[in-house]
Amino acid sequence: MREISPLQKERLNYRPKLAGVLSLGINNIKLSLKDKTSAVGDVEEIKKLFPNIFGEPIARFEAQGSELSRENKNVGVILSGGQAPGGHNVIAGLFDALKTANTQNKLYGFLGGPSGIVDGKYIELTDEIINAYRNTGGFDIIGSGRTKLETQEQFKKALGVCQELKIGAIVIIGGDDSNTNACLLAQWMKENNTGISVIGCPKTIDGDLKNDQIEISFGFDTATKTYAELIGNIQRDANSAKKYWHFIKLMGRSASHVCLEAALQTQPNITLIGEEVEQKAWSLDKIVTYMADIIAKRAEKGKNYGVALIPEGLIEFIPEMKNMISSLNDLLAGLEGNDSYINAKEDEKYSIISSKLNDSDAKLFNSLPAQIKAQLLMDRDPHGNVQVSKIETEKLLIAMIKEKLSQMKKEGKYTGKFSDQAHFFGYEGRCAMPSNFDADYCYSLGYNAFALIQAGLTGYLSSIKNTTKPASEWIAGGVPLTMMMNMEKRHGEMKPVIKKALVELDGPVFAALEKYREKWALEDCFIYPGAIQYFGPSDVCDIATITLQLEQEKQLANV
Ligand code: FBP
């Protein structure tokens, strides 16, 4: 019996490349501080809420400097939120930097996400444990969770646990919500003079944690390559059997980056982009009409098959749905603990909800199939997000398109056959073995996080830039978390949160889709990317995502 796969065995020996100056080693770099920063929105409010960490400068590491501190420092690490390929390498990079700086340093892994630090659940990460997880996918080394850190009680408990373990710094590996946690914790630790610093690392397959300083969140590269392989396989199947329309919903809770990148890699017939739907104020019916029109045009050419990509977060971008969901969020927050609602049967719940909504929201809510109503009423996650991964938008669209096509048939506008297959790709890619890019990038992010700690910084996000170039040219540094914050409504209240980066409709990536999508709709221009390549020529194994390449080209053109 095998204990691990032959590929995993091979990958355990892969030596990730370190970014630029970091390859000189943690003891041979110096910190340089650049421009002071502000916040992306609600500046005064954010300044007031984070007085001790607001407005710090951008940090960058340079070569040949005075050494960073080598004082003994124990660190606690937390994996937070949805899994993303490369998380284990962030921990490996952190571990290697910390041990290189001082062999007495210890790394503690808090178990099950942020709750681990509050409840004092942890393990010490040793060489033996780390070595078994190098270059592997998943977060199973210590597990993950979505607990929101915000109360005084949680912070005090976390402090007690850190003091017991002589922990001087905490690294939170997470997306926008998890790094919001990191920002709140950093502020609390500083204002209470605990001497404990907090550093974040940008994780999420969704790709929506990015800005001038954070070019890409880790996991996006591997996840999109994995989805592109699966979509390519389905396209080949569609093109072989020529009898199904495949509707593929792709993860990405809010932003449509995953869908856009996967589309550029595979060239399907239809790609919906949530941000475009919002900008054009498309109704559900307009989306259905747009899709049915392409299906009918392909049918005229004898092509009763095709592939459509649908972003997971689509539903929240449709203006009428967005309004209704926002009213539902407030309503559900108000109904928390209301026994007569909680104990009501499903149908009664729908009537209670519908009676409390305004006329247009109620009309829309009542028009939806029961399954979708139930999915919309499910509990929000601890950060107040609708669990869009559980809303079967792809099936809702299929049902509505069937109705539209039969109507078109009656009117003589459609003569084809429509046979559907629904898919949802999300979990299939979140724990894939990291690509070479994610293995290198994550290892560098972790190593760099320890450099930020040794430089005495807190409330920073580990940043590695220039990532379309070889790793030797990558730039290591840090960006203050407060720079990315603004105020948003969560659980019915205004809260400070990291602003999500959505698809820019005037950017080069969306422009690439816009340029070709009409051709891709009617002709068969499918690309079949195949599996992630680890070994072989560099222009096969080390290519950046199309998103990153186009964004970087644009940025360079503007310099
Ligand atoms: P993060 O933002 O925490 O990285 O999670 C992203 C994600 O994979 C989304 O794409 C998806 O909607 C969500 O997690 C699913 O959450 P869960 O793992 O709780 O089902």
Side-chain angles (χ1 to χ4, degrees):
M1 197 187 95
R2 279 180 183 157
E3 280 185 7
I4 56 173
S5 75
L7 178 61
Q8 186 179 333
K9 196 167 166 202
E10 195 61 44
R11 291 301 285 172
L12 287 176
N13 298 322
Y14 177 74
R15 299 285 295 274
K17 299 178 204 84
L18 263 180
V21 295
L22 297 183
S23 63
L24 299 172
I26 192 85
N27 299 321
N28 299 307
I29 51 175
K30 71 171 180 194
L31 175 72
S32 125
L33 294 174
K34 305 284 173 196
D35 305 335
K36 284 264 176 195
T37 58
S38 183
V40 277
D42 310 293
V43 177
E44 287 313 311
E45 195 84 23
I46 299 296
K47 206 172 180 176
K48 225 185 281 163
L49 288 167
F50 300 94
N52 300 77
I53 58 170
F54 180 84
E56 293 296 313
I58 302 278
R60 183 181 281 194
F61 289 108
E62 289 173 1
Q64 312 150 354
S66 51
E67 297 180 351
L68 303 180
S69 156
R70 285 206 208 176
E71 235 174 69
N72 172 209
K73 187 161 264 180
N74 294 343
V75 175
V77 63
I78 297 170
L79 286 166
S80 180
Q83 285 69 253
H88 290 155
N89 269 27
V90 179
I91 297 182
L94 177 63
F95 180 83
D96 290 350
L98 158 155
K99 290 289 182 189
T100 307
N102 185 330
T103 51
Q104 299 304 306
N105 288 343
K106 288 184 178 166
L107 180 61
Y108 292 102
F110 288 108
L111 303 176
S115 62
I117 195 171
V118 176
D119 301 336
K121 297 204 170 127
Y122 61 87
I123 52 166
E124 185 186 337
L125 293 164
T126 58
D127 254 320
E128 199 187 345
I129 299 176
I130 296 283
N131 287 343
Y133 284 94
R134 289 181 192 269
N135 310 307
T136 57
F139 279 7
D140 41 325
I141 188 170
I142 49 175
S144 187
R146 291 196 187 274
T147 301
K148 178 146 182 65
L149 296 179
E150 57 179 348
T151 67
Q152 291 289 322
E153 197 195 345
Q154 287 173 317
F155 295 149
K156 282 183 191 156
K157 279 187 171 177
L159 175 62
V161 173
C162 290
Q163 284 170 335
E164 202 177 296
L165 298 172
K166 297 194 172 47
I167 283 177
I170 301 159
V171 174
I172 298 186
I173 302 169
D176 52 328
D177 289 329
S178 312
N179 278 296
T180 296
N181 276 349
C183 197
L184 291 162
L185 189 60
Q187 166 60 31
W188 191 89
M189 290 289 178
K190 188 93 191 253
E191 110 194 2
N192 289 286
N193 296 315
T194 61
I196 298 174
S197 51
V198 184
I199 299 294
C201 282
K203 169 236 72 169
T204 178
I205 61 156
D206 294 2
D208 56 4
L209 178 55
K210 64 175 171 182
N211 52 48
D212 285 352
Q213 302 301 320
I214 305 293
E215 293 175 355
I216 184 170
S217 54
F218 81 75
F220 180 76
D221 186 88
T222 311
T224 51
K225 283 173 181 161
T226 307
Y227 301 140
E229 179 195 351
L230 298 174
I231 295 164
N233 295 348
I234 284 180
Q235 289 185 155
R236 196 133 231 175
D237 197 289
N239 207 18
S240 307
K242 302 196 190 299
K243 62 176 181 179
Y244 291 128
W245 260 94
H246 293 268
F247 281 55
I248 307 174
K249 183 176 78 165
L250 287 166
M251 250 189 193
R253 182 175 32 230
S254 301
S256 310
H257 299 293
V258 172
C259 205
L260 181 52
E261 172 65 26
L264 294 177
Q265 286 191 34
T266 58
Q267 305 181 178
N269 307 108
I270 300 177
T271 306
L272 299 178
I273 297 296
E275 290 82 343
E276 182 185 24
V277 165
E278 181 171 47
Q279 194 204 50
K280 294 187 171 162
W282 279 13
S283 62
L284 201 48
D285 182 60
K286 170 73 195 166
I287 295 171
V288 169
T289 308
Y290 167 75
M291 296 177 90
D293 193 44
I294 292 177
I295 293 168
K297 283 194 179 129
R298 282 180 65 82
E300 273 169 31
K301 291 171 166 259
K303 295 178 178 182
N304 288 303
Y305 61 93
V307 171
L309 302 188
I310 300 149
E312 184 187 57
L314 177 72
I315 204 131
E316 287 196 279
F317 281 108
I318 304 169
E320 55 187 350
M321 288 296 241
K322 188 177 181 174
N323 289 339
M324 183 193 68
I325 290 173
S326 161
S327 310
L328 283 179
N329 289 347
D330 291 348
L331 244 178
L332 292 173
L335 286 168
E336 261 170 41
N338 179 324
D339 287 342
S340 58
Y341 173 74
I342 293 167
N343 299 327
K345 292 199 181 110
E346 281 304 293
D347 278 356
E348 288 163 8
K349 277 190 181 160
Y350 304 153
S351 311
I352 298 173
I353 293 287
S354 160
S355 71
K356 291 180 188 286
L357 290 170
N358 67 31
D359 287 353
S360 57
D361 288 345
K363 192 169 163 215
L364 178 59
F365 183 76
N366 293 331
S367 74
L368 296 170
Q371 211 176 344
I372 301 287
K373 280 185 195 151
Q375 289 159 359
L376 282 168
L377 296 185
M378 273 182 299
D379 286 344
R380 278 29 184 170
D381 80 2
H383 297 269
N385 301 304
V386 178
Q387 299 190 57
V388 281
S389 61
K390 294 190 178 152
I391 300 178
E392 295 175 315
T393 326
E394 69 287 14
K395 293 192 182 157
L396 175 66
L397 288 174
I398 288 172
M400 293 179 76
I401 284 170
K402 275 185 181 158
E403 265 179 45
K404 178 73 75 185
L405 291 174
S406 69
Q407 183 60 34
M408 285 166 75
K409 208 162 234 176
K410 279 185 207 146
E411 293 164 6
K413 293 180 186 158
Y414 173 64
T415 49
K417 274 191 210 139
F418 179 74
S419 186
D420 62 278
Q421 293 287 350
H423 314 261
F424 169 36
F425 296 155
Y427 302 98
E428 292 81 349
R430 290 202 317 186
C431 281
M433 270 189 215
S435 58
N436 287 345
F437 174 83
D438 272 327
D440 299 345
Y441 183 54
C442 290
Y443 187 75
S444 297
L445 283 171
Y447 200 96
N448 185 59
F450 190 70
L452 293 168
I453 292 168
Q454 291 301 77
L457 300 178
T458 187
Y460 276 70
L461 191 61
S462 179
S463 147
I464 302 289
K465 290 175 59 175
N466 215 20
T467 53
T468 46
K469 298 276 163 28
S472 56
E473 293 172 43
W474 290 358
I475 299 165
V479 48
L481 286 162
T482 48
M483 187 181 158
M484 298 168 227
M485 305 284 281
N486 73 159
M487 302 295 292
E488 286 174 24
K489 203 170 196 186
R490 298 290 171 91
H491 285 303
E493 272 177 58
M494 291 308 282
K495 301 238 168 145
V497 292
I498 288 181
K499 190 171 183 202
K500 285 184 201 299
L502 301 180
V503 168
E504 288 176 5
L505 298 176
D506 55 357
V509 192
F510 180 71
L513 175 74
E514 243 186 337
K515 186 167 170 193
Y516 298 110
R517 66 180 164 190
E518 265 178 50
K519 186 175 166 65
W520 297 350
L522 304 185
E523 297 169 27
D524 291 340
C525 304
F526 303 138
I527 298 279
Y528 314 112
I532 291 175
Q533 299 296 315
Y534 296 101
F535 315 102
S538 183
D539 54 2
V540 176
C541 302
D542 300 324
I543 31 172
T545 58
I546 300 175
T547 300
L548 195 51
Q549 289 176 45
L550 293 172
E551 283 172 350
Q552 291 301 301
E553 272 165 30
K554 170 100 188 280
Q555 211 155 309
L556 284 176
N558 289 340
V559 170

